[in-house]
Amino acid sequence: MRIPPAPTPAYPSSASRRQFLGYGGAGMLAAVLPGCGGGDGPTPAAYAQTIEWGRQEIARALAGDPGNVAAVSIALLKNGTVVWQQAFGRASVQDNVAATVLTRFNIGSVSKVLAALAAMILRDRGLLDLDAPVARYLPGFAMLSPEYALITTRHLLSHSSGLPGTSMRDAFAFEPIPGYAAHAEAALANQHLKHLPGELAVYCNDGFTMIERVVAALARQDYASFVQANILTPLGMADSGFLTKKPTGGSFALPYSGGRQYPQEFVNPLATGGLAATPGDMMKLARMLLERGTYQSRRIVSADGIAQMGTDQTTGLAINPSPEWVWGLGWDSVRHPGLAAAGVRAWQKNGGTTFFSSDFYVLPDQRLALMVTGNTGNAQRPDTYRAGALAEGVLLRALVEDGTIRALPPLVAHAAPPAAASPGLADAVGVYANYNQPTRVTANQDGSFSLSSWNGTAWQPMNGGARYSYRSDGWWWGNDAPISYRFEVVSGTDANGQPYRYRYLMLRGPLFGAGYSETTLPVGQQLLPLAPLGAAWQARLGKTWTVINESPTTMPSTLGGTPYATLGSLPELPGYILVRNSSYDDGSPEYQLLAPLAADRAGMTVKIPANAGRDLYELHFATAGGKETLTIGSWTYEASVG
């Protein structure tokens, strides 16, 4: 369920395996590219060049990163017909089992498209109003911020609800763990909103977990059963489903990373990212979307429901400094920048789990669709599998080959424009926070600035120590072109009549896809010093806290040891609590800066649209039986001994 990481060195943050619901054997090429029956067939003449390019790119990724990419599967649809469907590599490296077109992959947040469809089906039946408060349907739902009562289903489906981000307890595991959505809702009762509903949009898995709760309440059956009966079965998606129990049949791609194979991966947030599917099955879903809600003459959902999903949901946002990021309902984008560069409208949703990465596109005007999925690969390697770049490359070449566009759009230029007089940096220097790593902006004597990130003990220069100088286009450029930065202040009055003013560090560049388009993103929000921490908070700094309510079969518990957190501070930014969270399978820590709300509670400090403000923490302490416990989101911690 992740948003894919930008190419190094674009983001001012460390690499992390935190894929969640987001936006991983050596062998000769012949060994990892076996013939795959049931879909290989002759190459359709209409897209022969496109398919050959795609095959070569997948072969290159498998051969270039054999320790992390074991299998890739892809399907391409045109005018209701699958014109290319093929699987590459091995579903099980350990047992030398070839991947086939019937091999299922965990498709992560692509599952959100089905959550939106489920909501639209209930809307068609008169059971759900997209703009009514969710609390109408979930009377037990509550939060500490009274504005939770304003959250609507539309907010949940468009990432604009203000929910904190992601409940990580028992999310990824090596066995199914029931009850995830109920636990997540219960945890929200002890948390505040991070922004007012509808104020901004930032990737939020919690919203789709709440959709799971809404669907179950209104349908009077569990979410997985509702989707099976109303979407998967009518579409004939026999090789797709939610892994709510260990499978007894079927072919599944097994996790593979770092040259090691792992057991079956289970994603317990079902609506958020729990579907296992084949690209071929996803083309049945795409065909229904292209047919405006019908499949083989059977109405699945209304045409208006499909249109609502594909409508820009950003037009009413108060804070939206990323105009290229156009959320739909369930879609990451309903005007995907890479296809928009060619003048083509595309609905797009990506998905990532701990071990798999997927991308799903529907081009409604061209009646074209694509699904690609495979092992995650190594984000630091240029020759690895990248779902977004591969998907965009295939689709653009198909559009050239069928005559929709004359040529591929030009790649984003790398040349920096001429230098210009600097507007000054006095107000811009300082510490910028986001969901995973503080960034420091430092002014240099020559009028440029440099970036550094906090590594746990010191500030570490970013991007090779690049210096960013002001240019005539209003952006600051360094030696990592075409990446550039600027500072943007957003101010106004919120729905409660309270004034706000946020300074963002903005990043611009070809951050996603194949390099044909630029995206502008806020990647950090400037924080100003607060009053010094009180004695109670000072006494907690430096302690290590260990999770006590995570199931032992989850991936954090199994791969990285018991999740833990430490509390510290930054000398440059007094008054904040620096939370170091080492909760993921490779041990990569995440750092968030929280502000005290009381002697026993600290809250979220940033409001950053798009992606860098996702998955925020709120923590509080409680004492029972003389023992102090710490809660962060849905996890409960106790202080470690020693």
Side-chain angles (χ1 to χ4, degrees):
M1 298 153 185
R2 64 183 174 92
I3 297 290
T8 303
Y11 278 112
S13 62
S14 63
S16 172
R17 284 293 306 280
R18 187 175 192 174
Q19 305 287 343
F20 186 54
L21 312 172
Y23 225 113
M28 299 300 291
L29 186 60
V32 299
L33 295 176
C36 311
D40 281 348
T43 298
Y47 292 107
Q49 296 176 29
T50 297
I51 294 170
E52 181 58 27
W53 180 88
R55 286 172 172 164
Q56 291 178 4
E57 286 298 296
I58 294 171
R60 184 176 67 86
L62 286 162
D65 194 5
N68 293 293
V69 184
V72 175
S73 189
I74 193 169
L76 179 66
L77 179 88
K78 176 67 174 179
N79 289 330
T81 300
V82 177
V83 296
W84 180 30
Q85 184 177 3
Q86 191 169 359
F88 303 77
R90 288 172 285 180
S92 171
V93 175
Q94 180 176 296
D95 299 318
N96 198 30
V97 176
T100 76
V101 294
L102 299 181
T103 298
R104 305 182 197 186
F105 291 75
N106 287 349
I107 64 171
S109 278
V110 177
S111 308
K112 289 180 170 67
V113 175
L114 283 86
L117 282 169
M120 293 302 168
I121 291 170
L122 292 172
R123 174 179 174 265
D124 290 345
R125 296 176 183 176
L127 298 174
L128 176 65
D129 181 341
L130 293 180
D131 298 306
V134 169
R136 174 191 297 182
Y137 311 116
L138 298 174
F141 170 51
M143 294 183 70
L144 298 179
S145 299
E147 294 87 357
Y148 84 89
L150 303 176
I151 296 173
T152 67
T153 300
R154 187 181 301 277
H155 292 140
L156 298 177
L157 292 172
S158 62
H159 300 278
S160 60
S161 66
L163 298 179
T166 300
S167 175
M168 288 304 299
R169 179 187 172 192
D170 293 345
F172 291 105
F174 290 119
E175 66 175 30
I177 302 173
Y180 171 88
H183 292 156
E185 182 182 345
L188 290 173
N190 197 32
Q191 299 177 71
H192 290 83
L193 292 169
K194 65 183 175 186
H195 63 79
L196 295 177
E199 183 178 28
L200 57 91
V202 52
Y203 199 82
C204 181
N205 291 306
D206 286 337
F208 285 80
T209 293
M210 293 304 296
I211 288 292
E212 183 175 334
R213 298 288 286 167
V214 169
V215 170
L218 295 180
R220 299 183 184 275
Q221 66 181 134
D222 66 86
Y223 176 81
S225 297
F226 180 83
V227 172
Q228 182 68 56
N230 293 278
I231 300 175
L232 302 181
T233 296
L235 293 180
M237 295 175 66
D239 294 305
S240 300
F242 296 98
L243 292 175
T244 57
K245 59 184 178 181
K246 291 186 176 181
T248 57
S251 172
F252 292 85
L254 294 179
Y256 191 74
S257 179
R260 176 184 173 187
Q261 183 167 298
Y262 295 89
Q264 178 76 51
E265 176 192 58
F266 293 86
V267 182
N268 296 306
L270 302 181
T272 306
L275 191 71
T278 67
D281 266 6
M282 293 299 290
M283 292 301 95
K284 298 174 183 177
L285 176 65
R287 182 176 169 186
M288 184 271 289
L289 294 168
L290 291 169
E291 295 294 338
R292 302 178 65 202
T294 64
Y295 183 77
Q296 295 180 343
S297 301
R298 176 178 178 178
R299 172 67 63 184
I300 307 299
V301 64
S302 66
D304 183 66
I306 301 300
Q308 287 277 338
M309 290 173 60
T311 299
D312 178 3
Q313 302 294 315
T314 68
T315 55
L317 298 176
I319 301 174
N320 185 26
S322 301
E324 305 94 344
W325 205 301
V326 184
W327 303 100
L329 298 178
W331 297 107
D332 285 343
S333 178
V334 293
R335 191 173 67 236
H336 185 266
L339 277 297
V344 173
R345 180 169 62 119
W347 303 337
Q348 179 263 344
K349 183 74 194 80
N350 74 5
T353 70
T354 303
F355 291 102
F356 297 100
S357 178
S358 307
D359 226 329
F360 179 50
Y361 285 75
V362 172
L363 281 57
D365 303 322
Q366 285 69 38
R367 299 184 57 77
L368 192 65
L370 180 140
M371 174 74 184
V372 61
T373 183
N375 300 100
T376 297
N378 185 339
Q380 304 306 311
R381 296 187 58 161
D383 54 354
T384 196
Y385 160 72
R386 300 183 189 281
L390 176 63
E392 191 176 300
V394 169
L395 286 168
L396 287 171
R397 283 165 176 80
L399 292 169
V400 171
E401 198 164 356
D402 66 19
T404 300
I405 59 177
R406 292 185 177 182
L408 296 176
L411 292 171
V412 174
H414 286 241
S422 169
L425 291 164
D427 294 330
V429 296
V431 175
Y432 290 73
N434 55 32
Y435 84 101
N436 71 340
Q437 195 166 43
T439 300
R440 186 174 65 174
V441 174
T442 305
N444 302 314
Q445 290 185 350
D446 63 359
S448 66
F449 71 82
S450 298
L451 298 174
S452 55
S453 60
W454 183 255
N455 66 7
T457 58
W459 293 101
Q460 181 176 348
M462 292 172 52
N463 306 337
R467 290 173 173 249
Y468 294 90
S469 300
Y470 192 70
R471 301 286 179 161
S472 60
D473 64 348
W475 290 77
W476 301 73
W477 290 70
N479 56 14
D480 52 351
I483 300 300
S484 55
Y485 292 91
R486 67 176 169 85
F487 304 94
E488 181 169 339
V489 174
V490 176
S491 60
T493 303
D494 67 23
N496 290 335
Q498 298 299 311
Y500 61 80
R501 187 177 187 275
Y502 310 124
R503 186 184 301 275
Y504 295 121
L505 173 64
M506 304 293 298
L507 169 67
R508 182 184 65 176
L511 309 179
F512 306 103
Y516 298 107
S517 62
E518 288 186 315
T519 302
T520 303
L521 289 175
V523 292
Q525 179 184 325
Q526 187 185 46
L527 297 183
L528 301 177
L530 300 174
L533 293 174
W537 286 107
Q538 291 286 353
R540 298 179 181 120
L541 301 185
K543 289 185 179 180
T544 298
W545 301 80
T546 304
V547 169
I548 60 173
N549 66 338
E550 179 82 345
S551 299
T553 58
T554 62
M555 291 176 186
S557 296
T558 304
L559 302 178
T562 304
Y564 68 92
T566 59
L567 307 185
S569 61
L570 281 180
E572 296 85 354
L573 204 61
Y576 293 85
I577 298 104
L578 181 69
V579 182
R580 181 185 191 271
N581 188 358
S582 296
S583 309
Y584 309 102
D585 56 299
D586 65 350
S588 295
E590 293 185 351
Y591 298 92
Q592 288 188 23
L593 286 160
L594 277 62
L597 300 176
D600 61 354
R601 182 178 293 272
M604 301 167 277
T605 57
V606 297
K607 295 183 180 182
I608 309 177
N611 194 40
R614 60 178 292 176
D615 301 345
L616 299 185
Y617 309 148
E618 179 167 346
L619 63 84
H620 76 275
F621 289 89
T623 301
K627 179 179 291 187
E628 190 174 48
T629 60
L630 166 65
T631 297
I632 301 178
S634 54
W635 269 328
T636 301
Y637 302 69
E638 287 184 351
S640 301
V641 178

